[in-house]
């Protein structure tokens, strides 16, 4: 990061340190995040995240409810990527109970989670651009997201929190003409994606605000346990879809985009490229979707025994679920790995030495969802 | 409606002051941008391209001191509750509150869990409740229209005095 000499430093004056409290109500903290900052003029000396404003007892609830009752709560942890959260939970249960999922259901899950990635990245794109002052991009991104939500609503009945996956499959089959509708959407979406690049990517202001800002090196990212686009932007080619394939990801060849500098700009580019890859994956899925049942055989009486660990690549990174059963039909313990929680710890590294405005860019670029951080 | 047109003075209407004040209040409800949880995403959707809150004269403000309406979109837990109170106190009269979603109404899916405040009306007074989990943008807009009706019925005395 370029050394920033404030006017005080040029004049050889030392200013006093200032403690500034940002949040929990702040337009660019993406929810109820509070950042405690120590400033020297415009320069950030330290930025510490204070979380817990949205703690909603998810893990405790998961112990108290029946397994199928937990699925709606997984939606509400990361409410921008509900399908992928449901997926990791049902995968964990299916692994423990050794339930076979029919191929059609696998494909529906696969298509839906890739569409979910597009929807989530779209929202991130809009809000990130808005954090940097580009309001138009926000409105454009929402336009496309609404159309995608229409598809989700037609399939699952809800716009955001679907409660769609079931242990052993999915609740209902997709509607007639699903393939054509999605294909039409994807065709339009590809055009729009170009529009976004024209609008934002080459924009000089955007580049200055993001390039070289909020740098995380590959070593730091690995040491903190980062995953997803944040890790890949630092140049580490790691994706759970490749490293530990689930659903039908091993059948398809797709690219894992990486960056080099680990700055906000690279994180932006990585996510934009991921949307392109998701489009390809959805197309593959639509072409190969077999006919058949969407629910597998699930025993009437469920007995959870032993423990298991399931993980997937959500739009934000590696989400994992550790599930312990004690022979009853409820989880004895459920532990959730949240990528956002990890990435939030990187905030200090990103913000240190930068300007206050860069702190906003850094928060935006890690794409946090407080529901997932606090659970 | 209720306006008297002067025949000899065209272009001049007389209207009760109360109605004029209420009309202007309800037509420019600037709301506080305070996203808490999942419902906040639907609140943003209502403000964005398709549903477009601006049609109602509703623009989000980042500062409570500039806003008339607080939409509470999410779960209130013990840690955020007093912050919500502080934000409400910072808003200038007249001010209104919409509780959006099950969580803000009574805890919703988290009702009765530890650390959850069962409803934002335990902390601040609420004018309109919009049920849903999350409520669709249409539902939120309906809530706003209800609030506008409520505002149109209000008197001119200070709201704080009316409540006391
Ligand atoms: S009512 Fe439902 S959607 Fe709204 S904040 Fe609560 S859990 Fe989330």
């Amino acid at each position: 990061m370029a050394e920033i000499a404030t006017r005080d430093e040029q004049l050889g004056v030392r200013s006093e340190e200032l403690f500034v409290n940002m949040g929990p109500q702040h337009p660019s903290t993406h929810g109820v995040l509070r950042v405690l900052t120590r400033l020297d003029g415009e320069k950030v000396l330290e930025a510490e995240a204070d979380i817990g404003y949205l703690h909603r007892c998810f893990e405790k609830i998961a112990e108290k409810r029946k397994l199928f009752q937990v699925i709606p709560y997984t939606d509400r942890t990361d409410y921008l990527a509900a399908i992928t959260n449901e997926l990791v939970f049902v995968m964990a249960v299916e692994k423990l109970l050794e339930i076979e999922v029919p191929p059609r259901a696998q494909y529906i899950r696969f298509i839906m989670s890739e569409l979910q990635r597009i929807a989530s990245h779209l929202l991130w794109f809009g809000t990130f651009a808005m954090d940097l002052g580009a309001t138009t991009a926000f409105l454009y991104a929402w336009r496309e997201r609404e159309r995608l939500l229409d598809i989700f609503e037609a399939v699952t009945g809800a716009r955001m929190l679907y409660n769609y996956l079931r242990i052993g499959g999915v609740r209902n089959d997709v509607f007639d003409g699903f393939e054509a509708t999605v294909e039409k959407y994807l065709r339009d979406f590809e055009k729009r994606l170009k529009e976004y690049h024209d609008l934002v990517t080459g924009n000089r202001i955007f580049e200055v605000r993001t390039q070289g800002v909020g740098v995380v090196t590959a070593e730091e990212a690995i040491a903190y346990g980062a995953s997803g686009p944040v890790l890949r932007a630092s140049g580490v080619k790691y994706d759970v879809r490749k490293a530990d394939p689930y659903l039908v990801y091993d059948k398809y060849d797709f690219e894992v985009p990486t960056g080099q500098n680990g700055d906000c700009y690279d994180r932006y580019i990585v996510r934009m490229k991921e949307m392109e890859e998701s489009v390809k994956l959805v197309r593959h899925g639509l072409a190969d979707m077999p006919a058949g049942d969407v629910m597998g055989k699930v025993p009437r009486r469920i007995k959870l025994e032993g423990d298991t660990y399931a993980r997937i690549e959500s739009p934000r990174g590696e989400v994992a679920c550790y599930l312990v059963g004690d022979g009853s039909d409820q989880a004895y313990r459920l532990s959730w790995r949240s990528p956002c929680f990890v990435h939030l710890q990187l905030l200090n590294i990103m913000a240190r030495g930068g300007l206050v405005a860069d702190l906003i860019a850094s928060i935006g670029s890690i794409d946090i969802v407080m529901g997932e951080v606090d659970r | 409606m209720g306006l008297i047109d002067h025949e000899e003075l065209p272009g001049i209407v007389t209207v009760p002051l109360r109605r004029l004040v209420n009309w202007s209040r309800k037509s420019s409800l600037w709301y506080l941008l305070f996203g808490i949880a999942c419902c906040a995403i639907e609140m943003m959707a209502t403000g964005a391209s398709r549903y477009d809150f601006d049609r109602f004269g509703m623009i989000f403000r980042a500062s409570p001191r500039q806003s008339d309406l607080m939409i509470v979109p999410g779960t209130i837990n013990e840690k955020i509750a007093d912050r919500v109170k502080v934000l409400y106190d910072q808003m200038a009269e007249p001010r209104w509150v919409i509780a959006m979603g099950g969580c803000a109404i009574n805890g919703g899916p988290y009702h009765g869990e530890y650390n959850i405040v069962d409803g934002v009306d335990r902390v601040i007074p609420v004018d309109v409740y919009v049920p849903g989990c999350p409520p669709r943008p249409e539902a939120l807009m309906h809530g706003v229209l209800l609030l506008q009706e409520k505002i149109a019925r209000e008197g001119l005395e200070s709201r704080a005095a009316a409540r006391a």
Side-chain angles (χ1 to χ4, degrees):
Chain A
M1 197 180 298
E3 236 343 279
I4 299 147
T6 55
R7 189 149 175 279
D8 285 353
E9 281 168 19
Q10 286 164 2
L11 296 173
V13 185
R14 270 219 58 80
S15 50
E16 234 179 78
E17 274 179 19
L18 196 64
F19 173 82
V20 173
N21 182 21
M22 186 176 139
Q25 185 264 331
H26 188 282
S28 21
T29 50
H30 297 246
V32 277
L33 165 70
R34 176 171 169 224
V35 186
L36 314 167
T37 51
R38 235 166 16 92
L39 307 179
D40 179 9
E42 267 287 296
K43 224 160 126 182
V44 179
L45 301 176
E46 202 184 340
E48 197 194 324
D50 178 16
I51 60 173
Y53 290 99
L54 195 53
H55 176 62
R56 299 194 281 191
C57 340
F58 167 62
E59 294 182 2
K60 198 73 199 164
I61 286 174
E63 293 168 19
K64 294 200 294 194
R65 303 281 202 277
K66 301 267 178 266
L67 285 172
F68 64 89
Q69 288 175 321
V70 178
I71 297 174
Y73 288 95
T74 60
D75 280 340
R76 280 155 184 77
T77 54
D78 178 355
Y79 34 83
L80 294 181
I83 290 277
T84 48
N85 281 280
E86 290 173 13
L87 181 60
V88 66
F89 176 71
V90 294
M91 267 171 56
V93 177
E94 282 158 7
K95 225 162 143 185
L96 211 52
L97 296 175
E98 288 166 7
I99 292 172
E100 195 76 36
V101 181
R104 185 171 175 84
Q106 294 272 29
Y107 268 88
I108 294 177
R109 287 178 178 186
F110 169 70
I111 293 168
M112 294 304 262
S113 43
E114 284 309 312
L115 286 178
Q116 181 77 83
R117 192 179 314 276
I118 296 177
S120 169
H121 281 359
L122 269 178
L123 190 133
W124 165 82
F125 166 76
T127 49
F128 181 52
M130 189 149 91
D131 285 349
L132 300 176
T135 321
T136 317
F138 173 77
L139 295 172
Y140 277 37
W142 275 89
R143 183 185 59 191
E144 266 68 73
R145 186 171 182 269
E146 286 291 343
R147 280 190 57 198
L148 195 48
L149 294 191
D150 285 345
I151 297 178
F152 273 113
E153 195 180 352
V155 175
T156 68
R159 278 163 56 86
M160 247 175 69
L161 307 173
Y162 312 111
N163 191 11
Y164 178 59
L165 303 196
R166 288 287 179 273
I167 296 158
V170 296
R171 188 182 62 210
N172 53 280
D173 207 336
V174 294
F175 57 90
D176 291 340
F178 174 74
E179 288 88 346
T181 315
V182 175
E183 178 54 40
K184 183 158 180 300
Y185 176 79
L186 294 181
R187 260 205 311 273
D188 288 350
F189 178 68
E190 278 176 325
K191 272 187 231 131
R192 301 297 190 197
L193 209 53
K194 267 199 212 88
E195 216 171 277
Y196 300 158
H197 281 300
D198 292 344
L199 194 66
V200 175
T201 311
N203 187 322
R204 187 77 193 112
I205 302 173
F206 179 77
E207 285 180 358
V208 173
R209 287 291 307 273
T210 53
Q211 281 172 349
V213 168
V215 176
V216 178
T217 63
E219 291 77 43
E220 282 164 345
I222 293 173
Y224 274 72
S227 54
V230 175
L231 178 67
R232 291 195 281 275
S234 301
V236 185
K237 210 179 177 106
Y238 177 82
D239 189 319
V240 181
R241 290 176 292 174
K242 284 266 188 214
D244 183 9
Y246 53 99
L247 294 181
V248 289
Y249 282 106
D250 47 352
K251 290 196 191 150
Y252 300 114
D253 194 27
F254 59 97
E255 216 184 297
V256 178
T258 53
Q260 296 125 29
N261 307 323
D263 55 4
C264 293
Y265 187 76
D266 277 4
R267 289 192 276 278
Y268 166 80
I269 292 292
V270 164
R271 287 201 181 92
M272 294 305 266
K273 285 198 186 141
E274 271 185 28
M275 286 202 263
E276 285 167 26
E277 292 303 314
S278 292
V279 170
K280 282 187 214 154
L281 281 172
V282 173
R283 287 227 169 94
H284 283 309
L286 288 176
D288 296 352
M289 190 154 70
D293 278 345
V294 293
M295 269 303 278
K297 276 216 169 49
V298 184
R300 271 274 160 115
R301 254 165 214 274
I302 289 178
K303 229 173 128 206
L304 271 188
E305 225 151 35
D307 60 343
T308 188
Y309 188 79
R311 58 179 186 157
I312 58 151
E313 180 82 18
S314 95
R316 263 152 278 281
E318 180 179 337
V319 175
C321 170
Y322 178 62
L323 186 68
V324 186
D326 62 349
S328 70
D329 59 348
Q330 271 157 297
Y332 175 72
R333 175 86 173 90
L334 180 142
S335 178
W336 201 258
R337 181 196 193 275
S338 142
C340 297
F341 178 77
V342 175
H343 297 160
L344 204 50
Q345 313 309 316
L346 283 166
L347 187 61
N348 193 20
I349 293 181
M350 290 180 188
R352 226 168 21 205
L355 300 177
V356 178
D358 298 341
L359 171 64
I360 305 290
S362 298
I363 294 177
S365 75
I366 51 180
D367 191 14
I368 41 169
V369 169
M370 289 317 286
E372 193 183 43
V373 176
D374 293 336
R375 277 155 290 166
Chain B
M1 195 183 61
L3 307 181
I4 305 166
D5 265 313
H6 286 260
E7 270 161 28
E8 59 274 32
L9 291 170
I12 291 190
V13 289
T14 45
V15 60
L17 181 61
R18 183 181 70 88
R19 193 164 285 173
L20 179 69
V21 169
N22 285 345
W23 169 77
S24 38
R25 278 180 179 167
K26 76 172 197 196
S27 314
S28 66
L29 283 170
W30 289 6
Y31 63 103
L32 177 64
L33 186 66
F34 182 33
I36 303 179
C38 350
C39 281
I41 308 296
E42 287 296 66
M43 181 175 84
M44 276 160 70
T46 324
S49 329
R50 185 183 285 180
Y51 296 98
D52 193 11
F53 248 162
D54 298 12
R55 292 180 290 153
F56 301 96
M58 295 181 66
I59 305 169
F60 66 79
R61 306 305 301 171
S63 159
R65 302 199 189 273
Q66 299 167 347
S67 26
D68 313 298
L69 169 65
M70 183 173 183
I71 301 177
V72 185
T75 322
I76 307 295
N77 71 10
E78 304 274 352
K79 194 168 176 180
I80 194 84
D82 55 343
R83 300 312 165 100
V84 175
K85 178 88 172 63
V86 168
L87 285 171
Y88 180 75
D89 288 344
Q90 283 178 348
M91 286 164 64
E93 287 280 2
R95 54 190 167 180
W96 295 275
V97 177
I98 291 183
M100 180 184 182
C103 286
I105 294 175
N106 74 342
Y110 299 95
H111 179 87
E113 298 298 333
Y114 72 92
N115 195 32
I116 302 289
V117 175
D118 290 338
V120 73
D121 51 7
R122 302 196 176 197
V123 193
I124 55 175
V126 175
D127 293 278
V128 175
Y129 296 86
V130 180
C133 185
R136 298 179 55 90
E138 289 91 341
L140 180 60
M141 287 195 291
H142 182 227
V144 169
L145 293 178
L146 285 178
L147 180 66
Q148 290 190 343
E149 274 173 31
K150 180 174 175 174
I151 294 172
R153 287 198 304 269
E154 270 172 11
L156 267 184
E157 74 277 17
S158 114
R159 277 172 48 92
R163 261 203 302 277

